[in-house]
Amino acid sequence: MESFTEKKPRIWLNTAHFINDIYTGMLNPIMPFIAAKLAISMAAATIIVSISHICSSLLQPVFGFFADNILKRVFIFWGLLMTSVFISFAPGTNHIFPLLVCVILGSLGSSLFHPQALGFSVRFAGSDVTRNMGIFIGLGTLGYSLGPVVSAFVTQYMGLDSVRYLSVLGVCWVLLMFNFVPKISAAAETPSHSSFIQAFKDILTNRKLNILNIIAMLKTLVTTSSSILLPFLWKNLGYKPFHIGAALFAFSFAAGIASFISRSVENKVGAQKVFYFSMISTLPLMIIFALVYKDYPSLSFFIYIIMGFCTGMAMPITMVMAQSVLPQYKSIIGGFINGFSWGVVALVMSVVGFAAQAKGIVPVLIVITLIPALASYPVLTRLFKKM
């Protein structure tokens, strides 16, 4: 049995992930109201959210390289600090330029935090890596789900300017971690000191990792597009910020629950079936959503929550499978799966926003959920061919 001392680093990493991702989930439900305040279009607001995802995700493999070679806590502390302060101050800005500055710096903080936290989470995972990775990802997902509720509640009842006070939680948590978490570098293995170019060459030329990255991107495309576009749909239907935040909370909460139980499900049915279920199921669910969201809003919200559960089921399995391919690059690979895929999708979302404005939000979301469903067979066949 593990002692508390052995568990302590993992406890702090998990809780820090929960706190950090509260902030990363705060902007989506209130972005339509920020856009209305600054008099910008849905397409422009989508680009701003896309920039947020690009900055919080696309650079994660680069920060992951340094995290693997430095093996110190600095990225975890500074990442959480930047995320909590700048994201909290973004809604209260009165012009698009300071909004962009806050969004970029806050998102870079999340990009700093995640690869190192993911890498160390594996180092302290013990014997059951998939289970503990599920807890780590699940808590992050639950934090991400809580962010919309918190920001929407504050926006509706206190105003956009009051969101800045939410930064206190993150700042206090950084101070607590700095004083009480053991120095992770002292317990970690010797850093690899690998060449930056060689590390990325090893990863980008690995066939299995490329397939897992594609899977991560397809899943992220569904979650990101629905989380960004549906708040605009609901605002147009007259829903208040808190209602929108509650819907996003339920979606991400369901994904977090799926992450917690994914290990048990994988043991019973196998990883391949979990992947198929996660990639295909969102298409029929989105079609049902499209048919009922106007006349049966409660049913449409329930369908949306089930979509969150389906998308979250394969997340821990994808991460553990990827990190096991080249274990010497845990943080970098964590940056690719958890970050780079989001960044690539964020680039696509800039176009998706304009398409949704021109053709409608729901038709665009149906097309988006069709993509992973069609790609599931050829992609998964290649992944499990030699397994």
Side-chain angles (χ1 to χ4, degrees):
M1 181 181 293
E2 290 180 296
S3 68
F4 177 74
T5 302
E6 293 170 330
K7 288 183 178 180
K8 191 193 298 185
R10 192 165 69 239
I11 292 171
W12 281 99
L13 286 167
N14 289 342
T15 51
H17 192 204
F18 174 78
I19 297 294
N20 182 86
D21 283 16
I22 288 176
Y23 294 99
T24 61
M26 285 189 351
L27 290 182
N28 283 341
I30 60 175
M31 184 53 71
F33 302 91
I34 297 174
K37 172 186 174 183
L38 300 181
I40 57 178
S41 67
M42 181 180 71
T46 302
I47 291 176
I48 293 174
V49 178
S50 298
I51 290 172
S52 170
H53 287 297
I54 290 169
C55 293
S56 66
S57 306
L58 209 57
L59 293 176
Q60 282 196 30
V62 178
F63 292 137
F65 169 81
F66 292 108
D68 274 334
N69 285 275
I70 294 174
L71 293 179
K72 291 185 178 180
R73 305 173 297 171
V74 60
F75 290 174
I76 297 172
F77 293 143
W78 281 105
L80 178 55
L81 184 65
M82 290 173 62
T83 303
S84 59
V85 171
F86 288 107
I87 293 298
S88 297
F89 276 76
T93 55
N94 294 314
H95 192 272
I96 192 170
F97 179 73
L99 172 65
L100 279 171
V101 171
C102 286
V103 166
I104 289 171
L105 291 178
S107 301
L108 285 174
S110 184
S111 191
L112 275 172
F113 172 85
H114 276 100
Q116 189 170 67
L118 278 164
F120 282 121
S121 179
V122 173
R123 291 183 176 94
F124 290 112
S127 58
D128 196 342
V129 178
T130 303
R131 177 180 175 274
N132 287 307
M133 181 58 70
I135 294 173
F136 178 83
I137 292 178
L139 281 173
T141 304
L142 293 179
Y144 186 80
S145 71
L146 187 61
V149 175
V150 173
S151 63
F153 180 87
V154 173
T155 297
Q156 182 166 329
Y157 295 104
M158 300 174 65
L160 285 169
D161 290 346
S162 297
V163 177
R164 69 185 65 182
Y165 299 117
L166 296 174
S167 62
V168 174
L169 173 63
V171 173
C172 290
W173 204 260
V174 170
L175 295 174
L176 288 169
M177 287 186 67
F178 186 80
N179 282 282
F180 296 111
V181 71
K183 288 188 177 182
I184 300 174
S185 58
E189 68 258 27
T190 303
S192 62
H193 295 301
S194 57
S195 161
F196 180 88
I197 296 176
Q198 185 60 47
F200 276 72
K201 182 180 178 181
D202 291 344
I203 292 171
L204 293 174
T205 56
N206 188 285
R207 171 181 167 273
K208 187 173 181 179
L209 282 177
N210 287 333
I211 295 173
L212 289 168
N213 265 316
I214 291 172
I215 293 172
M217 290 176 194
L218 292 173
K219 299 303 300 171
T220 302
L221 179 63
V222 174
T223 57
T224 302
S225 58
S226 60
S227 296
I228 293 176
L229 296 179
L230 284 178
F232 286 92
L233 175 70
W234 290 324
K235 181 180 182 296
N236 292 338
L237 292 173
Y239 291 101
K240 300 294 185 181
F242 186 73
H243 295 145
I244 298 173
L248 295 184
F249 162 78
F251 178 89
S252 296
F253 184 85
I257 297 300
S259 294
F260 279 123
I261 69 170
S262 63
R263 172 64 168 170
S264 299
V265 176
E266 180 194 9
N267 287 338
K268 291 180 180 180
V269 304
Q272 188 170 8
K273 290 181 179 179
V274 174
F275 278 122
Y276 269 118
F277 169 78
S278 188
M279 295 178 72
I280 294 175
S281 58
T282 50
L283 174 60
L285 289 171
M286 183 57 74
I287 292 174
I288 297 173
F289 178 91
L291 294 173
V292 303
Y293 79 93
K294 289 182 179 178
D295 297 325
Y296 304 98
S298 297
L299 178 59
S300 70
F301 280 125
F302 178 75
I303 297 298
Y304 181 62
I305 294 168
I306 299 300
M307 286 178 59
F309 182 87
C310 295
T311 57
M313 182 63 69
M315 289 179 186
I317 301 172
T318 306
M319 181 65 71
V320 172
M321 193 178 291
Q323 289 184 322
S324 66
V325 176
L326 296 172
Q328 69 271 31
Y329 301 131
K330 294 182 180 72
S331 295
I332 309 178
I333 292 173
F336 269 97
I337 299 298
N338 191 64
F340 185 78
S341 61
W342 285 77
V344 172
V345 169
L347 293 173
V348 176
M349 283 304 302
S350 300
V351 178
V352 170
F354 283 98
Q357 187 165 297
K359 302 297 183 181
I361 293 172
V362 173
V364 167
L365 288 176
I366 291 175
V367 172
I368 285 173
T369 54
L370 177 64
I371 297 172
L374 292 177
S376 60
Y377 180 76
V379 169
L380 295 177
T381 299
R382 289 175 62 85
L383 176 64
F384 292 96
K385 185 189 299 183
K386 296 181 180 180
M387 295 182 62

